[in-house]
Amino acid sequence: MASLRFASPRLRNYFKENYIPQVCEALLCGLLATCPEDPLKYLEEMIIAIMENGLESLLWDICIDPSMKPKIRRLSETYLEQLFGLDDQLMTPELMIKACTFYTGRLLKTHFCIWRETMTPRTNEVEILAEQMERAREYDNFRLQKCVFHHWHSYVKHQKEQRKDILQRIQQIIYCRRLVTILIKWRDKAKQKYKKREDELMLKHELQFKKWKSKVKVNVNAKEESISPEHCVSEVSLISEIPEFDISEFPKRALLQIFSNLSLRDVVICSQVSRSWLLMTQMSSLWNGIDFSTVKNIITDKYIVSILQRWRLNVLRLNFHGCLLRLKTLRSVSLCRNLQELNVSDCPTLTDESMRYISESCSGVLYLNLSNTTITNRTMRLLPRHFHNLQNLSLAYCRKFTDKGLQYLNLGNGCHKLIYLDLSGCTQISVQGFRNIANSCTGIMHLTINDMPTLTDNCVKALVEKCHRITSVVFIGAPHISDCTFKALSNCDLRKIRFEGNKRITDECFKLIDQNYPNINHIYMADCKGITDGSLKSLSPLKQLTVLNLANCVRIGDMGLKQFLDGPASKKIRELNLSNCIYLSDASIAKLSECCSNLNYLSLRNCEHLTDLGVEHIVNIFSLVSVDLSGTDITNEGLMILSRHRKLKELSLSECDKITDVGIQLFCKGSPILEHLDVSYCPQLSDDIIKALAIYCISLTSLSIAGCPKITDTGMEMLSAKCHYLHILDVSGCILLTDQMLEDLKMGCKQLRILKMQYCRLISMKAAKKMSSIVQHQEYSSADPPLWFGYDCEGKPLTEQQDTTPFKDLELTMKESTYSSEEEVV
């Protein structure tokens, strides 16, 4: 039974609740004392007796005959201690006597002490009372002192805090006063430094302008009369003092970088300077890519053939865009067996026969541009047989091949590596043709189909059935595409979407974009009238969106833009175009400045409700590089605020009639890195803005002052003298400009590539023809400016009656002659 000490609590409770120890104790005691002859029968009788009497009245000696019971008195009701291994504590006579003696002594002692305290008279009660009173008085004085000390401590603490606050305020006043003094001195010094810098800048400008004028005068005199011998001697002595410098001493890597930025014509001219220059232009790496399109009007077929024969092993890229070549010249392309990129777009003489020669020899072509050529199904049959590694194919505006030609793409090894496909303008392709493309080119990732009025949702569905890797689609000029196209493209992981001028696209397509294309980063939905604020709300969860163009979506307002900016899409957005969204106001721009910390390009053209208050928020977008505020209510104050940004490189202020020369001057002073400026159709501007640009913005590369009738040759002279990096210039409608402007541009703006001078009646056709041989692209017209320019041929503003007169001469002016030596896509 000793093991029950370590038994589970459940078993121990069971024993205790059913009186098992007591039953066993009674039975064992009976057996030990009686020693019956038949123990089993004895136990049976005793158990029956216990059951009749009940367990509650069970005693340890119930089974013992009364005559055999011991004469000692029990100390406890049960003997559980014995059952669980405890020692016996039976009472003996000796223990009884000792217990009684102890109890009697304890009782006597207790009662005697109580009797003694009661009976003994109290002594020294007066002294005890006096002692208690003294202790009470001390305690009361202590409490009184504690209370007084507490009030005194609070008062002192309050005084210290007050004194500390006063001291801090005095120190703050002294510090602020010191700061004010420092700031006043700094401001005065900054004003002096700024004025000194302005004076130096103006002095430098005047000196450079005088030097420019003297240079122009020397050139004019040189044309009119010969130079005297004394002048020749002085020039020779001056030249002899200049140390000679040989560019050939540059490292080969630097020379390659320099000559790679030159056109083919410039490289040929450089090769004719000297023998050392000829050797520099013969670097093999320089002839990896040859662009004949820039010299298509002056280069001969013989020269092209000789170049290709000489550099046939080095040529990797060839560009014949717009070149009128003979069949023999095109056959010479087959000499370049390492060719990887070939552009023969807009070549009217390209035929299937010439493509056969090229395809049989140049099997390594990766990029092939056949747009706007006369190729047929014969060429389509050559592509899969020879161009096994073709990745980029453009068949734009090639209308002589059919659906059967697209079926040929699956012949031989096929064009299964094709990644990019351009089918713009191929209106002859039907649904079956797109199904043929899907069967042949399942790996297409980039699809461009512009100017395709026959393109429908069924065409896209047929293509997407097997082309599941499409990541970008461009459908500009496809008016019959609807929301069903986005549903069909749900199996693809689209990253880029470009649509324009589509009225069947609604907010439903943007819900599909949010659900199916979480990784999309480029959305171009310009001029889609069905788009509302709900579309912007659907785009707000996109986390990878970087480009969003919703120009001409006139139903978009402040509410939709705010909902878009509240989502994660605003964190990575870099380019945002909201042109002609007339319901946007300054409130949207305030939200834009808070959320779009990575925005680089912003267009708010013709947002009529945008004012100078919105411009204050634009300044807070520090990452902004380009902003378009054309057609807004911005004033000179807004331009002064915008000048604080100091990081803008491009600014468009076209048709902003509230700005003047003062505003442009203030902006130019704070924008030394400005590269592009558009102030077209602001007739109130004059030569002062040109002077400001010449002084402060000498890094200018593009300038549009079309529709500014107050601009004269004097202003353009200053521009030519200082802005030597100018590439693009638009002076259309500047009626006071003469041939002198072109002479100045020839001398000062050596890098000018694009020149537009429509409606410049004082510029002669002869001077324009001379200029066309210098620039790559030129537009010229000597007609009077149309009525929509807002002024007449003398620069005077039109009256309201004149302004509403029908544009009779509009079609005539659009057909004026345009001179171009080298075309360039802008």
Side-chain angles (χ1 to χ4, degrees), residues 446 471-476 486 493-499 510 513 517-526 539 542-550 569 572-577:
H446 309 285
T471 59
S472 69
V473 291
V474 182
F475 296 149
I476 297 176
F486 289 93
D493 186 17
L494 285 185
R495 305 293 179 89
K496 177 181 177 180
I497 297 176
R498 287 178 65 91
F499 281 81
F510 286 89
I513 290 175
Y517 317 127
N519 297 321
I520 194 166
N521 54 39
H522 185 116
I523 297 178
Y524 179 94
M525 292 285 192
L539 294 179
L542 300 176
K543 297 181 180 180
Q544 305 297 328
L545 191 63
T546 57
V547 177
L548 179 62
N549 190 327
L550 298 177
K572 288 190 175 182
I573 194 78
R574 292 189 298 105
E575 182 177 341
L576 182 62
N577 191 335

Side-chain angles (χ1 to χ4, degrees), residues 50 84 99 129 190 194 208 244 313 335 506 523 547 625 737 772:
I50 290 172
F84 288 96
L129 183 61
Y194 179 75
Q208 289 180 348
E244 293 184 359
L313 298 179
L335 300 173
T506 63
I523 297 178
V547 177
V625 174
L737 297 180
S772 63

Side-chain angles (χ1 to χ4, degrees), residues 676-703:
H676 169 82
L677 179 63
D678 183 2
V679 289
S680 56
Y681 309 108
C682 297
Q684 68 275 13
L685 301 180
S686 65
D687 286 340
D688 291 338
I689 67 164
I690 306 297
K691 183 178 180 181
L693 290 171
I695 296 174
Y696 305 107
C697 305
I698 59 175
S699 300
L700 199 67
T701 59
S702 175
L703 175 63

Side-chain angles (χ1 to χ4, degrees), residues 482-522:
S482 66
D483 299 336
C484 297
T485 295
F486 289 93
K487 194 171 183 180
L489 290 167
S490 59
N491 295 328
C492 305
D493 186 17
L494 285 185
R495 305 293 179 89
K496 177 181 177 180
I497 297 176
R498 287 178 65 91
F499 281 81
E500 185 175 347
N502 193 305
K503 296 181 180 180
R504 301 185 65 186
I505 292 178
T506 63
D507 293 339
E508 189 64 29
C509 81
F510 286 89
K511 293 180 181 179
L512 295 171
I513 290 175
D514 176 29
Q515 297 171 2
N516 301 319
Y517 317 127
N519 297 321
I520 194 166
N521 54 39
H522 185 116

Side-chain angles (χ1 to χ4, degrees), residues 334-390:
S334 61
L335 300 173
C336 307
R337 297 184 179 274
N338 297 323
L339 190 64
Q340 296 181 3
E341 297 182 12
L342 177 61
N343 185 352
V344 288
S345 59
D346 294 311
C347 290
T349 56
L350 182 70
T351 61
D352 297 329
E353 185 68 18
S354 56
M355 279 303 302
R356 183 176 66 84
Y357 284 102
I358 296 173
S359 60
E360 289 176 354
S361 302
C362 305
S363 58
V365 172
L366 303 177
Y367 171 92
L368 181 60
N369 190 343
L370 301 173
S371 58
N372 202 16
T373 57
T374 58
I375 62 166
T376 64
N377 291 343
R378 291 177 59 191
T379 297
M380 301 298 291
R381 184 179 295 181
L382 295 173
L383 297 180
R385 290 182 176 178
H386 301 285
F387 298 138
H388 310 307
N389 299 316
L390 190 62

Side-chain angles (χ1 to χ4, degrees), residues 29-121:
C29 290
L31 287 173
L32 293 174
T34 306
C35 297
E37 295 179 358
D38 190 355
L40 296 177
K41 186 177 180 180
Y42 174 78
L43 290 174
E44 183 180 357
E45 292 175 355
M46 291 298 104
I47 290 172
I48 293 172
I50 290 172
M51 292 174 62
E52 291 176 354
N53 294 331
L55 296 175
E56 290 79 5
S57 60
L58 182 64
L59 298 176
W60 68 275
D61 57 349
I62 192 171
C63 297
I64 302 175
D65 190 63
S67 60
M68 300 179 67
K69 290 182 180 180
K71 301 302 180 180
I72 61 175
R73 184 179 179 182
R74 49 191 169 85
L75 297 177
S76 59
E77 295 294 331
T78 64
Y79 284 87
L80 291 174
E81 294 84 355
Q82 285 185 342
L83 182 63
F84 288 96
L86 301 178
D87 295 336
D88 296 339
Q89 294 184 357
L90 301 178
M91 181 60 69
T92 59
E94 292 80 5
L95 294 176
M96 196 69 179
I97 295 171
K98 188 179 289 187
C100 291
T101 304
F102 176 78
Y103 178 75
T104 303
R106 181 76 176 175
L107 188 63
L108 179 63
K109 184 178 180 180
T110 303
H111 286 81
F112 178 76
C113 292
I114 294 173
W115 174 82
R116 187 179 62 182
E117 291 178 358
T118 304
M119 297 304 294
T120 303

